[in-house]
Amino acid sequence: MPLILVVDDQPANIHALYELLVDECEVAMATNGAEALAFCAQQLPDLVLLDVLMPEMNGYEVCGQLKADPRTRAIPVIFVTVQGSAADEAEGFAHGAVDYIPKPFVDVVVKARVRTQLALKLASESFARSQIELFQRDKLASVGRTITGIAQELSSPLGNALISACTLQDDLSHLGGLAQRGPLRRSDLDKHLRISEESVGLVLSNLQRALSIVDSFMQSTAENFGDQRRSFSLLELVHEVVASLAGALESHQVRCELDAADDLHLLSFRGALAKVLTTLIQNAIKHAYREAGGEVRIQVQALGTDQLCISVQDHGVGIPPALLGRVFDPFFSTRFGSHRSEPGLYIVRNLVTFALGGKIQVESTPGLGTTVRLTLPLISPEARRSTR
């Protein structure tokens, strides 16, 4: 049963409300503001029926203290008072009440308004629980996809390294058997040395690839760039990123155009934002244009006084609608080949969301191109340790 706290300095009023509500609710009572606040500190009621005119501490003051405390802020309060003018009601709502019942009260009205507020509170709590459950399920699903992606990508290089190590082990065993049976021929020794060299080379290259995959995931937070939050020019950073990719842009015959009316200065994580922009431009170079030649446009726009928008746009092949929802999955790619072991937009989303305190959107139309839009605060939040 829902718990209602009735607060009134007149015992007759408390008794009347108790008799009216006890069949549908559990009713607790307080005769002054101090008692009401002490009760709420120990047990949170689902609704408070609060008199306004009380000695020492009036109802407005009690309601104000309830709303000022984060633990009791969500408790709905209905004022029950002889002050029934429109101005009195307006003042009651201004102090945080959800409803206002004038005295002498009508039983049917009290019951109806109590039921309404209890139903609204129940619906609100149910919605909040469902949102939390959805978030937790989505987070678990995201963790599962990440683990699966890492396992799939690591299985190939580690499997290759294991096969190569087993080949080396078998060959050394065979070489040992030959040595025990008599002198080794130069041709046998050369053969086994060649096999050993190839096997060791494959083990090292595949372990290096596995290490690179792990390292890519380690770069998904600002602190892993050795980054400190500091002030910097956005246009200066963009120019540096583009200059660092000059070779890749030239070899793929892709132009990089910058559209920015004004320079903006951020108090943020420079290394993390540089990684984001580098990855987005690299994605456009590698995946947008199947043949050499194209353009990547970077547009910077201020949003009010505290935010900005950075758009990275290409006019390439685009992403099919069926795949657009997977672009933030680790290792997702619209094409297979040598670039598949790159976490890509997975890391970009983590950096934008958790390090830079912003949002990322991807829009794409097959045959017309893709736009990645970043909405970032000019002042990022302080760095938070990642638990992902």
Side-chain angles (χ1 to χ4, degrees):
M1 294 178 70
L3 173 62
I4 293 180
L5 175 63
V6 176
V7 187
D8 199 305
D9 62 327
Q10 298 296 320
N13 292 332
I14 291 179
H15 180 74
L17 288 171
Y18 175 86
E19 291 295 326
L20 182 62
L21 301 171
V22 70
D23 291 338
E24 300 179 15
C25 309
E26 182 181 352
V27 182
M29 295 160 279
T31 57
N32 58 60
E35 285 183 12
L37 293 174
F39 180 91
C40 291
Q42 297 295 322
Q43 186 175 3
L44 296 179
D46 295 294
L47 178 67
V48 175
L49 298 182
L50 181 59
D51 186 23
V52 173
L53 300 178
M54 295 186 295
E56 298 182 6
M57 185 185 302
N58 65 37
Y60 295 146
E61 293 171 312
V62 175
C63 188
Q65 291 198 34
L66 289 175
K67 298 305 176 183
D69 187 338
R71 296 187 312 111
T72 57
R73 184 176 299 157
I75 301 173
V77 175
I78 298 178
F79 283 126
V80 184
T81 178
V82 293
Q83 295 179 305
S85 70
D88 292 326
E89 288 191 29
E91 186 172 2
F93 288 124
H95 280 84
V98 296
D99 207 343
Y100 200 98
I101 300 175
K103 294 178 182 178
F105 50 78
V106 178
D107 291 359
V108 175
V109 172
V110 172
K111 281 191 171 185
R113 295 190 175 182
V114 166
R115 287 170 183 162
T116 297
Q117 293 304 323
L118 290 175
L120 287 173
K121 186 173 186 294
L122 180 63
S124 175
E125 290 174 347
S126 176
F127 177 76
R129 283 194 299 270
S130 68
Q131 291 299 104
I132 292 172
E133 290 171 0
L134 285 172
F135 173 77
Q136 290 174 335
R137 284 201 297 269
D138 182 66
K139 190 172 183 180
L140 286 173
S142 177
V143 169
R145 288 193 298 270
T146 301
I147 293 172
T148 300
I150 296 173
Q152 288 175 344
E153 292 302 316
L154 288 178
S155 64
S156 177
L158 293 179
N160 290 339
L162 179 61
I163 292 171
S164 300
C166 289
T167 300
L168 177 59
Q169 184 182 45
D170 291 343
D171 189 68
L172 289 174
S173 178
H174 185 214
L175 181 61
L178 290 176
Q180 288 179 353
R181 288 195 290 271
L184 287 172
R185 291 180 299 178
R186 179 60 183 265
S187 60
D188 288 334
L189 183 58
D190 288 343
K191 173 186 175 183
H192 290 290
L193 286 174
R194 186 179 70 254
I195 293 173
S196 296
E197 185 178 358
E198 291 174 353
S199 298
V200 170
L202 286 171
V203 169
L204 291 176
S205 65
N206 280 282
L207 289 179
Q208 183 61 45
R209 182 182 168 205
L211 184 62
S212 176
I213 291 170
V214 173
D215 184 61
S216 294
F217 275 90
M218 292 296 292
Q219 293 184 15
S220 61
T221 57
E223 60 263 27
N224 286 321
F225 287 92
D227 227 356
Q228 297 291 325
R229 194 173 68 154
R230 58 195 174 103
S231 178
F232 60 90
S233 159
L234 177 58
L235 293 191
E236 182 180 302
L237 175 63
V238 172
H239 285 305
E240 286 183 15
V241 169
V242 173
S244 72
L245 297 171
L249 289 164
E250 183 178 358
S251 64
H252 288 81
Q253 299 177 35
V254 174
R255 301 184 312 279
C256 192
E257 300 291 338
L258 176 61
D259 179 6
D262 300 302
D263 192 8
L264 296 171
H265 282 75
L266 288 77
L267 178 60
S268 191
F269 298 96
R270 197 176 191 277
L273 184 53
K275 174 66 176 178
V276 167
L277 294 175
T278 299
T279 303
L280 293 179
I281 298 171
Q282 286 177 329
N283 278 358
I285 294 172
K286 295 173 183 176
H287 304 299
Y289 302 106
R290 297 294 193 232
E291 299 178 358
E295 179 185 271
V296 177
R297 176 170 291 273
I298 303 172
Q299 185 176 39
V300 177
Q301 180 182 5
L303 300 177
T305 59
D306 59 354
Q307 287 187 315
L308 63 91
C309 177
I310 304 175
S311 298
V312 180
Q313 182 182 31
D314 65 67
H315 301 288
V317 296
I319 303 171
L323 299 179
L324 194 58
R326 296 182 53 206
V327 295
F328 295 118
D329 289 353
F331 303 107
F332 171 78
S333 177
T334 55
R335 62 196 296 184
F336 292 92
S338 60
H339 304 304
R340 196 164 178 271
S341 295
E342 299 172 357
L345 289 184
Y346 171 83
I347 283 180
V348 167
R349 182 186 61 177
N350 282 357
L351 288 172
V352 169
T353 304
F354 298 106
L356 302 174
K359 297 178 181 179
I360 180 171
Q361 293 177 300
V362 179
E363 301 170 0
S364 189
T365 303
L368 297 179
T370 299
T371 300
V372 181
R373 188 169 289 108
L374 312 177
T375 304
L376 305 174
L378 293 177
I379 301 177
S380 73
E382 293 285 357
R384 292 168 287 179
R385 288 286 170 185
S386 172
T387 57
R388 297 176 304 284

